[in-house]
Amino acid sequence: MEHSEILHRCFRCGYCKLPSSYADLNCPSYLNFRFETYSPGGRMWLLRAWLDGEIKTSPRFAEILYSCATCANCVEQCVFPKFKDDILNAFIAGREELVATGAVPPAVRDYFKSIHLYGNPYKMPEADRGKWADGLGLEPYSRHEYLFYVGCVGSFDERGQRMARSVAGLLKNMGISFGILGAEEFCDGNDVKAMGEMGLFDHIAQKNIRKYQDLGVQKIVTLSPHAYHAFRNEYPELGGNFDVCHYSQLLAPLIKKARFKKSESPIRVTLHDPCYLGRHNKEYRAPRKILAAVPGVQLKEMDRAEKDALCCGGGGGNLFTEMLGGGPDSPARVRAREAAATGAQVLAVACPGCSRMLDDAVKAEALQDDLEVMDLAEFVNRRLAVD
């Protein structure tokens, strides 16, 4: 197994489970299950025992391996610089081994099957991919400056569709030249790779790369940090070299040109950093720059912010497989309570997956009358002046 050489080097100091302050539990799966085997250090020891033949492949073992949300808190907090960068890669390599033997959990198997058969995890016809844009008057991509890539959640999830429409509206409002692929768009494959199906990921990536190259795409702006991560960090190894940005990065330097309402009352806002924008790609400033430009915003940071942000629990395919569940100790519900404790009226997000996870969590915590989950673009659009 790739990266197996690092497994014996963990002596379970436990910092990988914590934020920089050591005041909370910051590993989503350990927070939820509270067993050492669900922590990064425990998972490394478990993988080592499995490779050494001390334990056998079992549904329980597979469940533990797939409970990781790939949030990279362990990579951020591990005290060993010589191997910390490969901790998450080792977990994904372990998943790859399970995929090779067909020993994945049923929910993971069904996810892969949906991607194979439908091209998306929602089992929706690919012809419906562009319906999120109905009535917006968006142009099909044709040598525009940017391709606006929406992804599976933005295309098919009701919450993601609203977010996609808001971002597209704001891009138009800011005068950005962009087009969409609509029904011609395809899954980016980021979660497929995180779940260890490397052959399927290569097929998806190469299909997208050929498509974009044929169309002459040079710049891509993504709705999701997951797609941003895949296009920016994974596609170049397969020949896909594009100038990629997340929508918050494109809008941040332009937002000062926006014309906002002058009569809006002050509003308290807290921000949830998406793992694939923050820890994976070190972008923390762009979302805050957008919020700072909106008149009346009082940003109330949560105790765990930026590199210490608690994951919503939806990464690594968990948005679809629900390996972490939705109980009171699920990361999304803990995060919703943490956001509410700031006294914020709005929980701002910048990822359709986070939006779905936290929206559900706020309702489960009965906080919806006090705390509204809003994407950055939705929030900005609401505060813009109307001509």
Side-chain angles (χ1 to χ4, degrees):
M1 188 192 88
E2 196 173 7
H3 307 296
S4 60
E5 73 280 0
I6 72 167
L7 299 177
H8 75 283
R9 304 188 67 180
C10 171
F11 63 84
R12 293 166 61 191
C13 64
Y15 289 120
C16 55
K17 295 181 290 194
L18 311 173
S20 299
S21 66
Y22 317 130
D24 297 288
L25 298 176
N26 225 35
C27 168
S29 54
Y30 183 77
L31 171 66
N32 191 62
F33 295 106
R34 307 293 176 102
F35 287 106
E36 190 65 20
T37 47
Y38 285 87
S39 74
R43 199 174 281 118
M44 289 178 76
W45 278 48
L46 199 65
L47 268 173
R48 183 184 174 192
W50 181 58
L51 292 174
D52 289 344
E54 295 171 7
I55 61 171
K56 295 181 179 179
T57 305
S58 68
R60 184 70 163 170
F61 173 74
E63 174 193 309
I64 293 169
L65 213 54
Y66 276 96
S67 66
C68 170
T70 65
C71 74
N73 181 73
C74 52
V75 176
E76 188 70 45
Q77 306 297 342
C78 177
V79 297
F80 292 102
K82 289 187 178 180
F83 69 84
K84 61 184 292 182
D85 290 342
D86 283 327
I87 295 175
L88 190 52
N89 293 331
F91 299 156
I92 293 173
R95 292 175 171 184
E96 187 178 0
E97 294 292 316
L98 288 181
V99 169
T101 60
V104 299
V108 176
R109 177 203 61 205
D110 293 345
Y111 174 88
F112 291 146
K113 188 176 179 181
S114 296
I115 299 293
H116 269 294
L117 294 178
Y118 300 93
N120 65 81
Y122 296 91
K123 302 181 181 177
M124 295 292 289
E126 284 295 274
D128 290 351
R129 261 194 183 270
K131 286 189 174 180
W132 67 270
D134 285 354
L136 295 182
L138 303 181
E139 297 177 355
Y141 179 83
S142 178
R143 301 287 178 178
H144 295 80
E145 182 177 4
Y146 288 94
L147 166 66
F148 178 37
Y149 180 85
V150 173
C152 294
V153 184
S155 296
F156 296 113
D157 181 273
E158 180 272 337
R159 185 67 189 85
Q161 288 175 332
R162 280 192 281 139
M163 184 172 162
R165 292 173 68 86
S166 290
V167 173
L170 192 53
L171 294 177
K172 283 183 69 174
N173 189 295
M174 301 302 291
I176 294 167
S177 167
F178 72 96
I180 62 172
L181 292 181
E184 299 299 314
E185 192 182 277
F186 198 67
C187 177
D188 57 78
N190 186 69
D191 287 356
V192 171
K193 182 166 187 177
M195 296 164 80
E197 229 295 17
M198 302 309 175
L200 181 57
F201 171 75
D202 283 355
H203 166 73
I204 290 170
Q206 289 174 4
K207 178 176 179 175
N208 283 331
I209 290 168
R210 285 195 301 272
K211 179 84 168 177
Y212 302 161
Q213 290 174 339
D214 289 345
L215 289 170
V217 173
Q218 295 187 353
K219 295 182 178 180
I220 304 173
V221 55
T222 71
L223 178 72
S224 170
H226 295 239
Y228 168 63
H229 178 78
F231 293 157
R232 180 174 187 255
N233 301 309
E234 309 292 356
Y235 280 35
E237 293 183 8
L238 299 171
N241 294 290
F242 307 101
D243 185 354
V244 186
C245 64
H246 179 252
Y247 79 88
S248 64
Q249 296 172 312
L250 180 58
L251 291 173
L254 304 174
I255 198 69
K256 60 185 178 184
K257 298 178 182 176
R259 195 162 62 83
F260 291 98
K261 298 174 186 174
K262 296 179 179 178
S263 58
E264 287 286 348
S265 57
I267 186 167
R268 297 183 298 277
V269 180
T270 193
L271 175 69
H272 171 74
D273 291 284
C275 300
Y276 276 90
L277 187 62
R279 273 189 292 265
H280 280 279
N281 287 290
K282 310 304 179 192
E283 179 59 83
Y284 302 110
R285 295 186 60 189
R288 287 170 174 79
K289 192 170 182 178
I290 291 172
L291 289 175
V294 181
V297 166
Q298 300 171 0
L299 182 60
K300 302 288 185 182
E301 294 280 11
M302 287 181 267
D303 289 340
R304 287 176 283 187
E306 300 191 1
K307 67 178 184 179
D308 291 320
L310 174 64
C311 171
C312 72
N318 276 282
L319 176 65
F320 305 101
T321 61
E322 299 182 342
M323 303 292 285
L324 290 175
D329 288 334
S330 65
R333 289 183 63 174
V334 173
R335 193 61 164 164
R337 296 196 294 270
E338 188 175 6
T342 67
Q345 299 154 276
V346 170
L347 171 52
V349 298
C351 168
C354 296
S355 182
R356 164 54 63 201
M357 295 292 291
L358 293 172
D359 214 30
D360 291 345
V362 164
K363 292 171 185 171
E365 291 289 324
L367 292 168
Q368 62 269 36
D369 292 337
D370 303 311
L371 184 65
E372 184 177 9
V373 179
M374 297 186 74
D375 164 63
L376 287 171
E378 291 174 321
F379 181 70
V380 169
N381 282 330
R382 186 182 288 184
R383 310 283 284 193
L384 285 177
V386 179
D387 293 327

